[in-house]
Amino acid sequence: MRSWGSCLDTALIDGRGLRADYRAAARFLRRREPALFAAVRFLAPPEFQPHVCAGYAFAGFTDDLCD
């Protein structure tokens, strides 16, 4: 499994602020849904992992707001 930083590089995500946002989304998803985070990390191609994690983190965060 690739490191998170190399997945961000593969997905062409550059810029300190943007990388920090993707790291925060991944950290949120890892705390909220560890099994889902592990599935994304093991099954998704590295260039899609940051975007998939950000999408699921957004869905989880909005679900928490609605509850």
Side-chain angles (χ1 to χ4, degrees):
M1 178 170 42
R2 289 183 164 196
S3 71
W4 187 250
S6 67
C7 289
L8 293 174
D9 291 339
T10 305
L12 302 177
I13 298 169
D14 54 355
R16 287 181 14 197
L18 187 58
R19 289 175 78 92
D21 291 341
Y22 273 96
R23 273 191 225 103
R27 192 171 35 253
F28 175 81
L29 184 63
R30 188 174 55 234
R31 279 192 319 251
R32 187 177 188 275
E33 297 286 340
L36 177 61
F37 181 77
V40 169
R41 291 288 283 150
F42 283 116
L43 299 175
E47 61 271 13
F48 296 139
Q49 289 179 15
H51 306 298
V52 172
C53 284
Y56 278 122
F58 175 74
F61 185 75
T62 56
D63 182 57
D64 289 348
L65 286 177
C66 291
D67 289 344

